[in-house]
């Protein structure tokens, strides 16, 4: 794969993983800064992951029929807008809803990245690179989030996530347009998804 598409795919992975990578910080901040109970903060994190799951179920048979750049852009806009709106929310029910929307946006982004990766002639090599970048990103971003939280409170983290999504949007023109005849089947995407999505989670655990 050429350099520009590889950079764009890595950007999608970073944005998709970014919201989940800082979940422990956000959960703690919801309790310490917004006064949520630990149970409520846990529900917020769980509903974000539910949004990712629901998004995957909906997109599983559709992603290969949609224009990758359009779907990726929709996902990035959803993530950026939802995180900016989250800055204004202090109520449990509203935070639940907006984090579910963040999860849906992450699913859109992941669907494009997985589809493009699975269509590659050597997807295992591509996913290895993307996972390495995602793990490195998490290793850099996680240590600085406490400083962001201390300086700008919880909205500072949400704005940072929105800014990362917005900057990544500039690269969407580099996303390969997978021809229908060469598009990866949903089965191949599913087979590749487990490794692509679970490896960063296992390393962070």
């Amino acid at each position: 794969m050429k350099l520009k598409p590889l950079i764009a795919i890595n950007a999608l992975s970073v944005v998709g993983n970014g919201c989940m990578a800082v979940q422990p910080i956000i959960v703690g901040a919801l309790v310490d800064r917004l006064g949520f109970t630990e149970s409520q903060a846990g529900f917020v994190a769980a509903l974000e992951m539910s949004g990712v799951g629901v998004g995957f179920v909906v997109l599983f048979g559709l992603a290969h029929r949609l224009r990758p750049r359009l779907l990726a852009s929709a996902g990035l806009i959803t993530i950026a807008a939802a995180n900016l709106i989250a800055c204004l929310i202090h109520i449990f029910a509203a935070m639940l809803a907006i984090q579910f929307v963040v999860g849906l946006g992450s699913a859109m982004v992941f669907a494009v990245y997985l589809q493009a990766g699975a269509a590659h002639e050597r997807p295992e090599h591509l996913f290895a690179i993307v996972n390495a970048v995602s793990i490195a990103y998490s290793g850099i971003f996680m240590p600085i989030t406490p400083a962001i939280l201390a300086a700008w409170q919880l909205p500072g983290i949400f704005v940072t996530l929105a800014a990362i999504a917005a900057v990544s949007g500039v690269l969407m023109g580099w996303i390969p347009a997978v021809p229908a005849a060469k598009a990866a089947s949903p089965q191949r995407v599913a087979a590749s998804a487990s490794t692509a999505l679970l490896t960063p989670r296992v390393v962070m655990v």
Side-chain angles (χ1 to χ4, degrees), residues 24-79:
I25 302 294
I26 292 176
V27 167
L30 290 174
V31 175
D32 296 337
R33 310 300 170 110
L34 296 187
F36 288 12
T37 66
E38 293 180 359
S39 178
Q40 287 175 326
F43 275 122
V44 170
L47 207 62
E48 181 180 343
M49 295 306 298
S50 296
V52 176
V54 170
F56 270 133
V57 170
V58 172
L59 292 170
F60 180 74
L62 296 177
H64 66 290
R65 301 178 183 177
L66 302 174
R67 294 173 59 187
R69 292 171 188 171
L70 180 61
L71 183 58
S73 297
L76 292 175
I77 291 171
T78 300
I79 291 172

Side-chain angles (χ1 to χ4, degrees), residues 4 7-8 13 17 24 28 40 43 57 72 75 84 105 130-131 146 149 151 154 163 165 171 173 176 185 192-194:
K4 287 184 177 180
I7 292 174
S13 176
N17 278 309
Q40 287 175 326
F43 275 122
V57 170
L84 290 177
V130 173
N131 279 331
L149 185 63
L154 189 54
L171 306 176
S185 66
S192 304
S194 57

Side-chain angles (χ1 to χ4, degrees), residues 75-100:
L76 292 175
I77 291 171
T78 300
I79 291 172
N83 275 296
L84 290 177
I85 294 172
C87 296
L88 308 175
I89 293 176
H90 300 86
I91 301 172
F92 171 61
M95 188 64 76
L96 276 177
I98 204 64
Q99 291 304 314
F100 182 80

Side-chain angles (χ1 to χ4, degrees), residues 111-200:
V112 176
Y113 135 60
L114 292 173
Q115 186 67 37
H120 192 255
E121 57 183 5
R122 299 298 297 273
E124 67 278 10
H125 291 175
L126 179 62
F127 286 135
I129 294 172
V130 173
N131 279 331
V133 171
S134 294
I135 292 167
Y137 162 78
S138 298
I140 294 171
F141 191 32
M142 282 293 289
I144 67 173
T145 48
I148 296 174
L149 185 63
W152 295 292
Q153 306 298 317
L154 189 54
I157 295 179
F158 290 139
V159 169
T160 301
L161 293 173
I164 292 171
V167 170
S168 298
V170 178
L171 306 176
M172 291 307 96
W174 294 353
I175 292 292
V178 182
K182 296 182 180 180
S185 66
Q187 291 77 15
R188 188 176 182 187
V189 174
S192 304
S194 57
T195 300
L197 294 178
L198 291 179
T199 300

